[in-house]
Amino acid sequence: MTSDPGASRSPAPEDAAKMPLGARRLVLIGGLCIPVGLVAGPYLFGLQLVAVAGVVAVAIALSYRRGQSWFSRWSWLATAGGALWVIATVAYWLSIMAAVDGSSSPSSLPTVLFYSGLAALAVMAFGTIAGWTLRSLSDRRSVAAAQ
């Protein structure tokens, strides 16, 4: 053991390469929600939505950027797409449940909601991939500039 309390700390350049704490927390929460929703979903159908929310949380976390504020414009796009996906999924689920219960006649609403949710999922995925790609490119530029 060393007597220097700062010996266990990593240098600043290595800290810059780590995922921010807020993003790590979102990955942890989303990573826990996904298996809970998948395991509990067959028993309580509404809990499958927890898995959807977990996927959204992980996607938002992966779109982070390095710097003062980790929540980038791509994170906002992933958040908006994810929120719309969750809303469309809830509305789709409610419309299917209403049709199954017989309280309403079958309509084209579930189809519209399904495709709306699919489009929102695509927007969320685009925001996540764009954030990851731009972060990767900026990391390459900073490494090239340092050499």
Side-chain angles (χ1 to χ4, degrees):
M1 298 237 328
T2 62
S3 60
D4 184 16
S8 65
R9 290 187 184 160
S10 60
E14 290 179 14
D15 284 342
K18 290 183 181 177
M19 182 183 271
L21 182 61
R24 284 186 285 181
R25 287 179 178 166
L26 270 178
V27 168
L28 176 69
I29 291 168
L32 291 173
C33 287
I34 292 169
V36 167
L38 291 176
V39 169
Y43 304 108
L44 296 170
F45 187 65
L47 284 181
Q48 288 178 346
L49 299 173
V50 173
V52 172
V55 170
V56 171
V58 170
I60 293 167
L62 293 178
S63 66
Y64 74 93
R65 75 170 173 202
R66 302 201 200 292
Q68 294 287 22
S69 174
W70 69 269
F71 206 78
S72 68
R73 64 177 181 228
W74 298 112
S75 299
W76 282 108
L77 183 65
T79 302
L84 291 174
W85 184 37
V86 169
I87 290 168
T89 304
V90 169
Y92 177 76
W93 179 69
L94 289 174
S95 67
I96 295 294
M97 288 292 107
V100 167
D101 290 340
S103 60
S104 69
S105 62
S107 66
S108 63
L109 180 64
T111 305
V112 170
L113 290 171
F114 177 79
Y115 287 115
S116 308
L118 197 60
L121 173 64
V123 167
M124 181 189 72
F126 175 76
T128 302
I129 292 169
W132 175 80
T133 304
L134 288 178
R135 183 176 63 248
S136 176
L137 291 175
S138 70
D139 288 349
R140 286 184 184 181
R141 283 189 212 124
S142 64
V143 167
Q147 293 177 354

